Amino acid sequence: MNLWTTILLIAIAGMIYSAWRSKHLTSNGITEDFLGNQSLDDHRANAELQREVEELRERVQILERIVTDGREASRISSEIEKLRH
């Protein structure tokens, strides 16, 4: 193998490694700027957290309705008493 073949093989290996590294970082949600600084791309995480917050708000509204509605609270407590006996 001569010098130019070795240089070509090293360059091809470097390109393959660079492509693999970019794919790996992207699949894990990490972005990299032109200076090489890495940051976590948390758009998916933000969407998941936003969905979870909305679900929790709905649950809190339901619990508030149960607590503040006197008729509903008395009905639930009477059902609990019936189940105890």
Side-chain angles (χ1 to χ4, degrees):
M1 219 191 303
N2 63 19
L3 177 66
W4 296 109
T5 306
T6 305
I7 291 172
L8 179 65
L9 289 176
I10 291 172
I12 290 173
M15 288 187 287
I16 290 172
Y17 171 74
S18 177
W20 173 82
R21 185 172 180 268
S22 295
K23 182 181 179 192
H24 176 72
L25 290 176
T26 303
S27 67
N28 289 325
I30 300 172
T31 57
E32 194 171 46
D33 63 4
F34 66 94
L35 295 175
N37 299 325
Q38 295 179 352
S39 63
L40 184 61
D41 185 19
D42 56 352
H43 294 296
R44 287 180 278 179
N46 281 343
E48 177 75 20
L49 289 174
Q50 187 66 28
R51 183 186 59 77
E52 187 174 345
V53 166
E54 289 300 321
E55 288 177 1
L56 290 173
R57 283 183 182 160
E58 289 175 11
R59 288 181 181 181
V60 167
Q61 287 177 351
I62 290 171
L63 290 173
E64 286 176 346
R65 208 172 339 144
I66 290 172
V67 169
T68 58
D69 189 8
R71 293 174 293 168
E72 194 68 27
S74 63
R75 185 179 62 82
I76 291 173
S77 62
S78 66
E79 287 181 19
I80 291 173
E81 288 301 320
K82 287 178 188 177
L83 291 174
R84 286 184 184 165
H85 297 294

